[in-house]
Amino acid sequence: MTGARGTIGFIAPEVHSRTFGVVSTKSDVYSYGMMLLEMVGGRRNVKSVVENSSKKYFPDWIYDHFAQDEALKACDVTSETVEIARKMTLIGLWCVQVLPVYRPTITGVLEMFERSLDELGMPPKQNFCELVSEKISAVNSEILQRSSTL
């Protein structure tokens, strides 16, 4: 790959920085998850309901408001489509995990769509800043271990 290409916001973190992992097919899963969240959320609708939503990472906003159904209300989801929207949101949140190791494969995503909503759990919320500092600490620890054995 000669450089990062694609729509900003849909590009997986590891494409921007190898700190987050290796670019793989799971990078495409991230993009797919962002697309699912955009389909459910349609940022135009969310921005009209929530102040400063453009200043917050979109998946974090959805994650924070999903449990109270606020995200679906803000996205104008009708009662007929609530179950589909909830399933798409949960799968999207799984797909946009910051670290690729926590994302499902595309086969796993397809299997999630076949499951009932009750079988899908809420993914862990990952924080960019915490993950970067953990990664830096791990790298520094590894460097110290190597230098002590030399």
Side-chain angles (χ1 to χ4, degrees):
M1 182 182 260
T2 59
R5 296 178 189 198
T7 304
I8 297 298
F10 287 79
I11 299 172
E14 64 271 16
V15 174
H16 290 288
S17 171
R18 300 301 187 262
T19 303
F20 295 101
V22 179
V23 175
S24 69
T25 56
K26 287 192 175 184
S27 303
D28 294 331
V29 169
Y30 181 92
S31 298
Y32 182 74
M34 285 301 289
M35 182 189 69
L36 287 175
L37 295 177
E38 285 283 331
M39 288 170 64
V40 172
R43 288 192 198 190
R44 279 179 277 139
N45 295 334
V46 173
K47 283 183 182 175
S48 67
V49 177
V50 180
E51 281 185 36
N52 300 322
S53 67
S54 62
K55 294 180 182 176
K56 187 161 187 176
Y57 179 56
F58 189 54
D60 280 349
W61 184 88
I62 288 181
Y63 195 98
D64 291 342
H65 294 85
F66 184 75
Q68 300 96 14
D69 282 334
E70 290 176 34
L72 296 178
K73 288 177 189 169
C75 299
D76 293 333
V77 173
T78 64
S79 59
E80 296 84 35
T81 58
V82 167
E83 187 169 338
I84 294 167
R86 289 185 69 79
K87 184 184 274 192
M88 287 174 65
T89 303
L90 279 175
I91 294 170
L93 288 172
W94 274 108
C95 292
V96 298
Q97 293 293 294
V98 176
L99 297 178
V101 70
Y102 295 114
R103 287 181 216 143
T105 61
I106 196 63
T107 305
V109 171
L110 294 174
E111 289 171 357
M112 287 181 180
F113 274 112
E114 294 174 353
R115 295 183 198 152
S116 72
L117 186 58
D118 296 332
E119 294 177 79
L120 298 174
M122 189 69 152
K125 184 174 181 183
Q126 296 180 336
N127 182 315
F128 274 110
C129 296
E130 290 173 10
L131 291 170
V132 170
S133 64
E134 286 175 19
K135 194 78 156 174
I136 290 170
S137 296
V139 168
N140 287 340
S141 173
E142 187 177 319
I143 290 170
L144 287 173
Q145 286 178 347
R146 285 184 184 174
S147 65
S148 66
T149 58
L150 295 175

